[in-house]
């Protein structure tokens, strides 16, 4: 398999859409590059991946993805520096997490070579699609779906691993105002919250729509049992700054082990910022907002990078966050993106040249 993989077959697209794209005004994840990677699992093994022109896929209506939601995904970005060199950020961690998700969803684990060789072959082909306008990058979506059919509620025997890429701008177009959720939950103990399972996101849409109707952009998820602990912000891990201490919740069954989150913690430590990784209560955040010690809240994730929260709503009251000249969010965002775009020394060994 190793020998085959060094030479991933490439079927080139006869046409390109690249000239139709306005690379200076990109939205997030809505235009796709000319090629994609497809790798099938059948007869008990992952087959050799191949690169093909970007196209719709055909699935049997009885494919288990449609009925039982057996699907997982990852989110990554490719960054181009000023000398046109291309970098990924901690891609082996995405591969590891894909397999953590796979295990939980009873999906066969994908070998590392299929992921890394496949991804780098695809990116070398799609290099011209990596945008360079400030804040933009090539968003990469690796995912696995159950293509095997059957109405029996049990794992499929066939799967597809696909990587699609979308030149993208910022995930949020402006300030992020959040609502602390008191009714719905995104995850529970013993559940799949720690996995990047498609269904985790589907379950968030309705409560998020309700929050949007009330004028918020995003929900802050609290624990399913008491709604007293702050856990995640939509598709981001959450950080709170009280006084000069940066606090984030510990990862658990219910919280995704974000790569941005753990990188931010490392950078903050390197900056000498006081850090606490511990449960955060809603009441301490409300109290801090009232007594003026709540200085910042921000979300962190691959798509959203570091997204400052401008205000939060709780039990019918909105609490505004102060606008700081020198925030932890802007310092940490600068440091992480400087590493990602090869503008700074990579002291932690996170960059991966493609
Ligand atoms: N939490 C959730 C629920 C997410 O979907 C994401 C996005 O991937 C994150 C946190 C942040 O994770 P990462 O920094 O690895 O992208
Ligand atoms: C990412 O940050 O890459 C994610 O996967 C979040 C996504 C739901 C947009």
């Amino acid at each position: 398999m190793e020998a085959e993989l060094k030479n991933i077959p490439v079927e080139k697209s006869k046409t390109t859409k690249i000239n139709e794209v306005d690379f200076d005004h990109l939205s997030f994840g809505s235009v796709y590059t000319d090629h994609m990677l497809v790798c099938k699992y059948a007869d008990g093994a992952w087959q050799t991946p191949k690169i093909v022109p970007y196209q719709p896929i055909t699935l049997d209506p009885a494919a288990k993805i449609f009925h039982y939601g057996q699907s997982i995904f990852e989110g990554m970005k490719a960054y181009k520096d000023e000398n046109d060199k291309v970098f990924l950020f901690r891609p082996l961690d995405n591969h590891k997490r894909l397999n953590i998700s796979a295990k939980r969803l009873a999906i066969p684990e994908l070998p590392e070579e299929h992921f890394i060789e496949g991804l780098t072959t695809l990116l070398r082909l799609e290099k011209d699609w990596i945008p360079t306008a400030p804040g933009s990058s090539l968003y990469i979506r690796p995912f696995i779906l159950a293509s095997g059919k059957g109405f029996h509620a049990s794992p499929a025997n066939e799967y597809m691993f696909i990587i699609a890429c979308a030149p993208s701008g910022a995930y949020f177009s402006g300030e992020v105002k959040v609502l602390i959720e008191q009714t719905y939950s995104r995850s529970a103990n013993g559940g799949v919250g720690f996995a990047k399972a498609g269904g985790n996101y589907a379950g968030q849409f309705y409560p998020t729509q309700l929050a949007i109707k009330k004028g918020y952009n995003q929900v802050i998820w609290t624990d399913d049992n008491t709604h007293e602990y702050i856990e995640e912000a939509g598709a981001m891990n959450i950080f709170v700054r009280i006084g000069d201490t940066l606090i984030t919740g510990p990862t658990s069954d219910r919280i995704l082990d974000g790569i941005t989150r753990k990188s931010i913690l490392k950078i903050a430590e390197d900056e000498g910022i006081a850090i606490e990784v511990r449960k955060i209560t809603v009441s301490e955040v409300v109290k801090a907002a009232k007594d003026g010690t709540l200085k910042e809240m921000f979300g962190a994730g691959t798509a959203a990078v570091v997204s400052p929260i401008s205000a939060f709503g709780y039990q019918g009251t909105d609490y505004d966050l102060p606008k700081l000249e020198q925030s932890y969010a802007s310092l940490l965002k600068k440091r992480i993106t400087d590493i990602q775009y090869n503008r700074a020394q990579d002291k932690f060994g996170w960059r991966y040249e493609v």
Side-chain angles (χ1 to χ4, degrees):
M1 200 47 111
E2 178 77 359
E4 277 176 284
L5 275 185
K6 292 280 169 219
N7 234 332
I8 290 177
V10 176
E11 184 197 331
K12 278 204 177 173
S13 171
K14 292 190 177 62
T15 55
T16 179
K17 299 165 294 192
I18 202 163
N19 299 322
E20 297 161 21
V21 178
D22 180 355
F23 280 86
D24 290 324
H25 300 93
L26 291 166
S27 60
F28 178 83
S30 50
V31 290
Y32 313 98
T33 67
D34 288 331
H35 300 90
M36 64 189 200
L37 176 130
V38 179
C39 177
K40 291 188 175 172
Y41 178 92
D43 303 323
W46 284 103
Q47 314 291 311
T48 303
K50 53 185 183 188
I51 309 243
V52 294
Y54 188 91
Q55 60 193 281
I57 54 172
T58 304
L59 291 175
D60 194 287
K64 294 205 179 189
I65 170 69
F66 297 134
H67 308 278
Y68 304 121
Q70 219 190 347
S71 81
I72 54 172
F73 71 96
E74 272 301 316
M76 314 171 69
K77 281 176 173 172
Y79 311 88
K80 202 183 252 182
D81 77 1
E82 54 181 29
N83 299 312
D84 273 3
K85 283 190 184 171
V86 176
F87 298 92
L88 291 164
F89 185 70
R90 310 185 74 172
L92 295 173
D93 291 28
N94 290 97
H95 171 258
K96 275 196 203 117
R97 192 171 61 188
L98 183 75
N99 279 345
I100 289 171
S101 303
K103 192 171 174 194
R104 181 63 182 82
L105 274 286
I107 291 172
E109 290 178 29
L110 182 83
E112 185 182 293
E113 310 80 61
H114 285 57
F115 187 87
I116 296 292
E117 295 281 336
L119 182 57
T120 49
T121 309
L122 178 63
L123 289 177
R124 284 179 196 136
L125 191 64
E126 304 296 61
K127 192 174 178 203
D128 292 345
W129 283 87
I130 305 174
T132 51
S136 64
S137 59
L138 187 71
Y139 186 72
I140 305 165
R141 177 51 62 87
F143 60 104
I144 301 179
L145 60 95
S147 50
K149 58 189 175 183
F151 294 146
H152 195 275
S154 53
N157 57 4
E158 289 181 6
Y159 296 87
M160 287 173 91
F161 169 57
I162 298 177
I163 308 180
C165 303
S168 293
Y171 191 76
F172 290 110
S173 48
E175 292 193 325
V176 186
K177 190 175 165 188
V178 297
L179 177 66
I180 298 184
E181 182 60 55
Q182 290 298 288
T183 306
Y184 299 97
S185 308
R186 82 171 272 283
S187 59
N189 285 333
V192 295
F194 67 94
K196 279 186 79 81
N200 280 341
Y201 299 80
Q204 298 189 49
F205 294 161
Y206 176 65
T208 306
Q209 278 178 340
L210 295 180
I212 289 171
K213 272 196 201 135
K214 290 182 191 156
Y216 302 93
N217 310 95
Q218 185 68 259
V219 166
I220 296 282
W221 296 106
T222 47
D223 70 292
D224 60 301
N225 192 21
T226 64
H227 294 292
E228 179 52 16
Y229 296 100
I230 284 185
E231 303 217 310
E232 286 209 77
M236 303 179 287
N237 292 111
I238 183 150
F239 286 80
V240 172
R241 173 180 174 185
I242 297 179
D244 284 333
T245 304
L246 188 63
I247 317 168
T248 193
T251 56
S252 68
D253 270 10
R254 303 186 303 267
I255 300 184
L256 192 83
D257 186 5
I259 295 165
T260 317
R261 171 188 175 279
K262 64 184 179 189
S263 308
I264 294 254
L265 283 172
K266 193 91 196 146
I267 294 171
E269 185 192 351
D270 190 58
E271 285 287 336
I273 293 172
I275 302 163
E276 288 177 12
V277 177
R278 61 160 175 84
K279 289 181 168 186
I280 309 166
T281 63
V282 179
S283 26
E284 74 176 306
V285 172
V286 170
K287 180 175 170 286
K290 284 181 179 161
D291 71 21
T293 52
L294 181 68
K295 294 199 185 155
E296 293 179 59
M297 285 170 83
F298 58 86
T302 299
V305 198
V306 173
S307 290
I309 291 168
S310 58
F312 72 88
Y314 179 64
Q315 290 182 340
T317 305
D318 281 350
Y319 298 86
D320 287 329
L321 276 287
K323 290 193 181 5
L324 301 184
E325 284 283 309
Q326 288 178 322
S327 65
Y328 284 172
S330 58
L331 169 75
L332 296 166
K333 181 175 179 180
K334 181 174 185 326
R335 278 215 45 197
I336 196 167
T337 52
D338 279 353
I339 296 173
Q340 290 166 335
Y341 288 86
N342 192 27
R343 293 189 293 250
Q345 196 207 338
D346 179 23
K347 67 189 280 191
F348 306 110
W350 289 336
R351 252 189 326 251
Y352 184 102
E353 191 170 348
V354 173

